[in-house]
Amino acid sequence: MASSVLSAPMASIGVPTEIKRDEQRVALTPDGVSELVSHGLEVRVQQGAGSGAGMADSDYAEAGARLVSCEEAWGAHLVVKVKEPQPEEFRFLREDLVLFTYLHLAAYPHVGQALLEAGTTGLAYETVQLDNGHLPLLAPMSEIAGRLAAQVGAHLLERPHGGRGVLIGGCTGVRPARVVVLGAGTVGWNAARLAVGMDAEVFLLDRSPDRLRSLESARTGRLVSVVSSRGLIERLVPTADLLIGAVLTPGGRAPRLVGEDLVRRMKPGSVIVDVAIDQGGCVATSRETTHTDPVVTIHGVQHYAVGNMPGAVPFTSTEALVSVTLPYVIGIAGRGLEEAVTERPELLSGLNTVSGSVCHPSVAKALGVPPRHPMACLR
C-alpha cells in the first residue's frame, strides 16, 4: 500500500487551520498557493486558516486555492501543517496520507503512536538534514525563537513582570545582566547576538570548539564563547540573570543539562527561557507553557517554556517557514515522495513514520521501538 501511494504524484494539497493552543501560523501563504497552482496542483485551504497570520481567505482564493472545510483539507493526499496533529485531529490520520509538518515526536510520543496506528507517513520538518548537518526547515524557526528568547528574557527581568528588576544592558556605572546561553546552534547564536546587541554580558556555551571557532569572526560586544562542560555549567548557571536553553538533538530528546539543584541556586527573580522544550526541555524544572499563560515560577525562578515560540509572530514566522518548505512541497506533491527523496536525499532523514514503522533512529530510540531504514519503508 505504501509504495503505490508514495510513488505517485499527489493531486491535492491540504492546509488545515492550526488548532494547537495559541498557534496562529499557517503552512502556506497565498504566494505559495499561487506557485503550487502554477504547477498544476490542487490546493485546499481550510476557511480562516491564515487569519491569525494576517492572510485573508480572499487572498487564498485569488491565488487559486479552494476554500474548504476542515474535513476536506485533511482529505487531501498531502497535508502540510505547522505543528503536530492534536488529539482532536487524530481521526483524520490514515494510511494513504502524507503529513508534512513539525512533529517533534520525542517530546510528543502520543502523536507518534497515533501516526503508527494509522499507518500515516509522517514527514517532519525538523529532521530534514543536509549532508553538512544543516537543518534547512528548522533553521528559520530556530532563528526566530532565538531572537525571541533574548527579547522575552529581557522583558521578564523587569520587576513588573516578576523579574529581579534588572535592565538587561545595565547603564553607566551599573553592570548589565549576565546571560548564559546553552548551545551555539541557530537558536543559541541568535539569542546571544540579540542579547549582546542589548549590551548584556553574554556567555555562549557549546560542546563543539569548531562551532565556536566558526562564530569567532562575528563575535562582538560583551560576548564570551566557551567550550561547555558540566563543571562550567555548574559554575555559570547560578550567576545568570537570564539562562537560555538552546540545545538540539535532531529527532531526539534534548539532554538535561541543568538539574533542579542548579535552579535552586539561581538568584530569586532570575529567568529561564527553555527553547528546547519542544524536545522535552534541557532544564529539569521546565514544563511546557503557552503564549496565554507563558510563565511558571519554580524555586523563585521564572520559567518561560512555550512550545511554539515563533507563533508569537505568526506573520513573520509563516513567511519564513514557507520560503524554505515550498520547494519540498512542490517536489513531493508534483513527483511523489519516492522520486522527491531521490532528487532531494535530505528528505529521507525527514521520514519519521511510514506504514506503522519508525524510520528515524533518534525518534525510534525516543519512542522505544526498533527503527527501519527509510528506503526500506518506502518500498
Side-chain angles (χ1 to χ4, degrees):
M1 179 72 168
S3 180
S4 61
V5 170
L6 300 178
S7 61
M10 299 173 194
S12 57
I13 301 164
V15 183
T17 300
E18 298 295 326
I19 65 170
K20 184 166 184 170
R21 187 176 178 184
D22 299 329
E23 182 54 72
Q24 301 296 323
R25 289 173 289 180
V26 62
L28 281 178
T29 61
D31 284 346
V33 168
S34 179
E35 185 68 24
L36 289 166
V37 170
S38 75
H39 283 77
L41 299 167
E42 176 197 358
V43 184
R44 308 175 186 177
V45 177
Q46 184 177 344
Q47 292 181 346
S51 60
M55 298 171 191
D57 283 350
S58 57
D59 296 328
Y60 285 104
E62 187 176 340
R66 283 183 54 211
L67 298 176
V68 299
S69 66
C70 175
E71 288 75 12
E72 288 177 288
W74 274 100
H77 299 93
L78 170 64
V79 168
V80 291
K81 288 182 85 276
V82 178
K83 294 303 292 181
E84 72 284 349
Q86 301 302 292
E88 306 96 295
E89 296 172 311
F90 289 173
R91 64 191 175 97
F92 296 122
L93 302 177
R94 61 187 195 277
E95 189 176 5
D96 63 344
L97 170 67
V98 175
L99 176 63
F100 195 25
T101 187
Y102 289 117
L103 287 173
H104 295 293
L105 297 183
Y108 306 116
H110 63 289
V111 177
Q113 188 60 39
L115 292 169
L116 292 174
E117 290 176 0
T120 299
T121 298
L123 194 58
Y125 295 153
E126 74 277 4
T127 61
V128 173
Q129 190 167 17
L130 300 172
D131 288 341
N132 62 5
H134 183 61
L135 302 166
L137 306 189
L138 186 61
M141 296 304 100
S142 296
E143 181 179 346
I144 291 169
R147 296 182 184 196
L148 281 171
Q151 183 173 302
V152 166
H155 181 69
L156 292 176
L157 280 173
E158 297 171 8
R159 188 64 177 172
H161 302 291
R164 297 186 61 232
V166 173
L167 180 64
I168 193 167
C171 67
T172 304
V174 181
R175 78 166 186 86
R178 172 170 287 186
V179 179
V180 175
V181 182
L182 303 178
T186 304
V187 171
W189 175 237
N190 277 276
R193 283 180 61 198
L194 197 63
V196 167
M198 291 188 282
D199 284 339
E201 176 192 42
V202 181
F203 287 85
L204 177 62
L205 280 63
D206 197 274
R207 294 176 60 186
S208 170
D210 290 339
R211 173 59 180 167
L212 295 175
R213 194 172 294 113
S214 71
L215 299 174
E216 191 66 21
S217 62
R219 188 164 61 90
T220 60
R222 302 185 181 98
L223 174 61
V224 179
S225 57
V226 195
V227 177
S228 183
S229 67
R230 180 169 298 277
L232 183 63
I233 291 172
E234 290 178 352
R235 290 193 299 274
L236 277 180
V237 166
T239 72
D241 297 296
L242 169 60
L243 173 66
I244 296 175
V247 295
L248 173 68
T249 302
R253 287 190 65 88
R256 288 286 172 85
L257 300 182
V258 178
E260 188 168 359
D261 57 326
L262 273 184
V263 176
R264 285 196 185 97
R265 290 167 55 194
M266 293 179 71
K267 295 169 280 194
S270 53
V271 175
I272 293 173
V273 177
D274 195 344
V275 187
I277 195 63
D278 56 10
Q279 290 184 287
C282 63
V283 178
T285 45
S286 293
R287 301 292 180 270
E288 185 171 356
T289 57
T290 65
H291 290 292
T292 302
D293 189 15
V295 179
V296 175
T297 301
I298 301 172
H299 303 312
V301 178
Q302 295 195 90
H303 291 60
Y304 178 101
V306 174
N308 59 330
M309 286 181 65
V313 287
F315 179 83
T316 299
S317 296
T318 295
E319 292 279 0
L321 179 61
V322 176
S323 71
V324 293
T325 59
L326 186 60
Y328 292 93
V329 175
I330 292 171
I332 294 166
R335 292 181 286 280
L337 189 53
E338 285 190 12
E339 187 173 333
V341 300
T342 301
E343 294 182 1
R344 291 179 176 267
E346 65 269 24
L347 277 172
L348 277 176
S349 59
L351 279 172
N352 282 199
T353 64
V354 177
S355 299
S357 297
V358 178
C359 310
H360 192 286
S362 296
V363 173
K365 181 179 180 181
L367 297 181
V369 299
R372 288 186 68 199
H373 191 280
M375 285 307 296
C377 290
L378 289 178
R379 296 194 178 102

